[in-house]
Amino acid sequence: MKKLILVRHAKSDWPEETEDFDRPLADKGLQDAMNMSRFMKNKNISIDYFVSSPAVRALNTCRIFNQTYQLNMSTADKLYNPSERNFESVIYDLDDHLNSVALFSHNNGISNFANSISEDIFHFPTCGVAGFEIDCNSWSEFDGAKKKLLFFYEPGKI
């Protein structure tokens, strides 16, 4: 059994003359990411590894979560402006010794992907987190595996 956690980056800012990739987190985003990571840790949600989009706002959200979790992490270009297939490609590359992995990414891709693997239709707010149980022993079995939504948390509702 594997667990996949999807995290949309926290609220970002868009200063003038800043490229989309380089957008920083807004103050609210920094606070939401700290609160959400602590909330998840306090709920005993175990995570073995983080994979983040390399975009500044996603990577900084991941780094804030990592202040709480203290894990190894990596980036995957495929999580920036992702399609559903991009997520699957990242998942298939995961090492099977990892049982619970969090992916940090962006809308609309993260909402579309979550809705493609769940019967629960939802839209990710910034710093929203969804956890899924994946009935498989290897990440390579992801596509055909039964998937179940375990939780969906939003910053304003925790």
Side-chain angles (χ1 to χ4, degrees):
M1 200 68 73
K2 302 289 187 190
K3 189 164 39 172
L4 178 67
I5 298 165
L6 301 177
V7 185
R8 182 179 174 198
H9 67 78
K11 181 84 175 140
S12 59
D13 203 355
W14 203 324
E16 283 187 45
E17 298 183 28
T18 301
E19 294 293 323
D20 180 72
F21 188 89
D22 297 321
R23 291 170 51 199
L25 291 178
D27 290 344
K28 179 181 181 349
L30 294 167
Q31 193 62 49
D32 284 349
M34 283 189 278
N35 291 342
M36 185 62 79
S37 65
R38 291 178 188 145
F39 172 80
M40 291 178 58
K41 186 80 168 183
N42 289 338
K43 296 279 275 181
N44 295 316
I45 296 170
S46 66
I47 304 173
D48 299 328
Y49 193 72
F50 291 144
V51 184
S52 178
S53 156
V56 170
R57 60 195 181 277
L59 188 54
N60 285 343
T61 301
C62 181
R63 287 177 173 148
I64 291 169
F65 271 68
N66 208 22
Q67 289 173 2
T68 302
Y69 276 90
Q70 305 287 307
L71 302 173
N72 287 328
M73 57 184 272
S74 64
T75 61
D77 291 343
K78 292 175 183 175
L79 294 178
Y80 178 65
N81 282 334
S83 69
E84 293 165 28
R85 293 278 174 241
N86 289 73
F87 283 95
E88 291 172 357
S89 178
V90 170
I91 290 165
Y92 293 139
D93 285 344
L94 294 171
D95 195 307
D96 284 336
H97 81 277
L98 301 169
N99 290 315
S100 179
V101 176
L103 304 181
F104 292 76
S105 191
H106 311 261
N107 253 351
N108 291 319
I110 199 166
S111 289
N112 292 341
F113 177 66
N115 287 318
S116 77
I117 64 172
S118 173
E119 295 175 7
D120 304 271
I121 304 296
F122 50 83
H123 176 80
F124 271 78
T126 51
C127 212
V129 179
F132 298 89
E133 183 178 80
I134 315 299
D135 190 6
C136 64
N137 294 314
S138 170
W139 291 107
S140 66
E141 302 167 347
F142 177 83
D143 190 40
K146 184 178 177 198
K147 300 159 188 80
K148 176 182 160 190
L149 179 67
L150 298 174
F151 58 81
F152 182 61
Y153 301 127
E154 299 178 47
K157 299 181 178 178
I158 59 169

